[in-house]
Amino acid sequence: MSTIVETPGDWTQVDASTRRRILTHSPEMMVVEVEFQPGGCGPAHSHPHLQATYVRQGVFDFTIAGRTRRVTAGDSLVVPSNAVHFCESATGGTLIDIFTPAREDFL
């Protein structure tokens, strides 16, 4: 099996304080970098994908299924499939999100 290394995709502006880019993907998995300005918020949503998030830098308040947790650089978390979740950036920062399967709506 060979390893495929991709160049990150172009940035997509999600809203005034948030942007994302796909780092790599296959049908089974997707890795996405998300940058937030201070106070930036990912609105409440859910999706059928299992999501793992790694905090590259910054401080974020994540609410998953009604439970809020503060995470900082080096922390990670898992969002179960179909769980309503959102986050707010206290400082601005960067998240690395991994989805399985890939988020077709991001392509």
Side-chain angles (χ1 to χ4, degrees), residues 17-44:
S17 61
T18 310
R19 67 183 189 157
R20 72 171 177 250
R21 66 180 175 168
I22 297 170
L23 298 179
T24 191
H25 68 91
S26 72
E28 297 83 14
M29 182 178 288
M30 175 179 279
V31 181
V32 179
E33 180 177 18
V34 187
E35 285 187 351
F36 290 83
Q37 298 299 315
C41 185

Side-chain angles (χ1 to χ4, degrees), residues 53 65 69:
T53 296
R69 174 180 167 202

Side-chain angles (χ1 to χ4, degrees), residues 9-10 14-15 30 49 51 55 72-73 86 91-92:
D10 293 332
V14 177
D15 58 33
M30 175 179 279
H49 313 82
Q51 175 181 338
V55 182
T72 62
F86 62 95
T91 61

Side-chain angles (χ1 to χ4, degrees), residues 38-49:
C41 185
H45 66 285
S46 65
H47 44 73
H49 313 82

Side-chain angles (χ1 to χ4, degrees), residues 39-107:
C41 185
H45 66 285
S46 65
H47 44 73
H49 313 82
L50 181 62
Q51 175 181 338
T53 296
Y54 171 76
V55 182
R56 177 184 278 171
Q57 65 183 33
V59 177
F60 293 84
D61 293 314
F62 264 86
T63 301
I64 303 169
R67 183 173 170 236
T68 301
R69 174 180 167 202
R70 177 157 280 197
V71 293
T72 62
D75 290 342
S76 58
L77 52 92
V78 171
V79 179
S81 298
N82 299 310
V84 175
H85 59 287
F86 62 95
C87 73
E88 184 172 356
S89 174
T91 61
T94 304
L95 302 176
I96 303 297
D97 289 334
I98 302 165
F99 299 98
T100 184
R103 293 281 306 257
E104 293 291 330
D105 55 322
F106 284 9
L107 296 174

